C-alpha cells in the first residue's frame, strides 16, 4: 500500500537539466520529511538534499549546492529534485526517501546518466 515512485531519470548531456519526481501514496505524505539520495556503482550512498514536511526548510550536499533544488507539492503528494548544470559525476541511481521518526519509505530508484 505504501509507495514512493521515482521518475524523470534518463540520459542527459553535461550541462543539461533533469527534474526527478517522487510520487507518494498510502501514507500521510505531508507529515514526512523527504530526502533524495544517490548511489553510483561501487560508491557509498550519498545524501543529496533534504526538505522538511512543510517545505519551508531545505539543505543540500556541497557537491550539488547551487545546481540542484528540492521541492514538494503536498497537495499532489509529490516531491521533486530539479537538477541543473549536470556533470558526469552526478551519474547515479537516485532514490527518494520519506521519513517520519522511525518510519522510512523508499522508492525503487531512477537512473541518471550524464554523458556526452
Amino acid at each position: 500500500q505504501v509507495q514512493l515512485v521515482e521518475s524523470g531519470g534518463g540520459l542527459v548531456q553535461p550541462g543539461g537539466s533533469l527534474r526527478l519526481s517522487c510520487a507518494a501514496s498510502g501514507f500521510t505524505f505531508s507529515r514526512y520529511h523527504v530526502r533524495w539520495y544517490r548511489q553510483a556503482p561501487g560508491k557509498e550512498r550519498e545524501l543529496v538534499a533534504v526538505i522538511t514536511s512543510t517545505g519551508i526548510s531545505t539543505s543540500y550536499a556541497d557537491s550539488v549546492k547551487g545546481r540542484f533544488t528540492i521541492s514538494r507539492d503536498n497537495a499532489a503528494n509529490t516531491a521533486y529534485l530539479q537538477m541543473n548544470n549536470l556533470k558526469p559525476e552526478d551519474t547515479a541511481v537516485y532514490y527518494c526517501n520519506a521519513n517520519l521518526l522511525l518510519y522510512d519509505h523508499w522508492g525503487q530508484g531512477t537512473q541518471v546518466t550524464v554523458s556526452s
Side-chain angles (χ1 to χ4, degrees), residues 73-86:
D73 184 348
N74 283 342
N77 291 329
T78 304
Y80 306 93
L81 185 67
Q82 178 68 46
M83 305 184 295
N84 298 326
N85 192 24
L86 283 161

Side-chain angles (χ1 to χ4, degrees), residues 12-17 85-88 113-116:
V12 65
Q13 294 182 345
S17 298
N85 192 24
L86 283 161
K87 304 175 180 180
T113 302
V114 184
S115 176
S116 59

Side-chain angles (χ1 to χ4, degrees), residues 1-7 19-34 36 51-54 71-81 96-98 105 107:
Q1 294 183 0
V2 171
Q3 276 196 307
L4 287 175
V5 180
E6 299 98 333
S7 62
R19 188 175 79 156
L20 306 183
S21 297
C22 174
S25 61
F27 64 101
T28 307
F29 178 74
S30 62
R31 298 180 66 90
Y32 285 67
H33 299 333
V34 170
W36 284 96
I51 187 167
T52 56
S53 59
T54 64
S71 62
R72 67 192 297 163
D73 184 348
N74 283 342
N77 291 329
T78 304
Y80 306 93
L81 185 67
C96 176
N97 164 262
H105 304 310

Side-chain angles (χ1 to χ4, degrees), residues 14-116:
S17 298
L18 286 173
R19 188 175 79 156
L20 306 183
S21 297
C22 174
S25 61
F27 64 101
T28 307
F29 178 74
S30 62
R31 298 180 66 90
Y32 285 67
H33 299 333
V34 170
R35 294 169 172 85
W36 284 96
Y37 292 85
R38 67 186 182 187
Q39 188 165 28
K43 305 295 183 181
E44 298 288 335
R45 186 177 62 188
E46 177 187 15
L47 178 62
V48 174
V50 181
I51 187 167
T52 56
S53 59
T54 64
I56 293 176
S57 181
T58 60
S59 61
Y60 302 90
D62 288 341
S63 58
V64 307
K65 197 170 298 182
R67 299 188 297 120
F68 290 12
T69 303
I70 188 172
S71 62
R72 67 192 297 163
D73 184 348
N74 283 342
N77 291 329
T78 304
Y80 306 93
L81 185 67
Q82 178 68 46
M83 305 184 295
N84 298 326
N85 192 24
L86 283 161
K87 304 175 180 180
E89 51 263 44
D90 295 319
T91 296
V93 177
Y94 284 71
Y95 297 92
C96 176
N97 164 262
N99 170 257
L100 175 63
L101 299 175
L102 297 180
Y103 294 95
D104 279 286
H105 304 310
W106 291 86
Q108 82 289 348
T110 185
Q111 177 71 48
V112 172
T113 302
V114 184
S115 176
S116 59

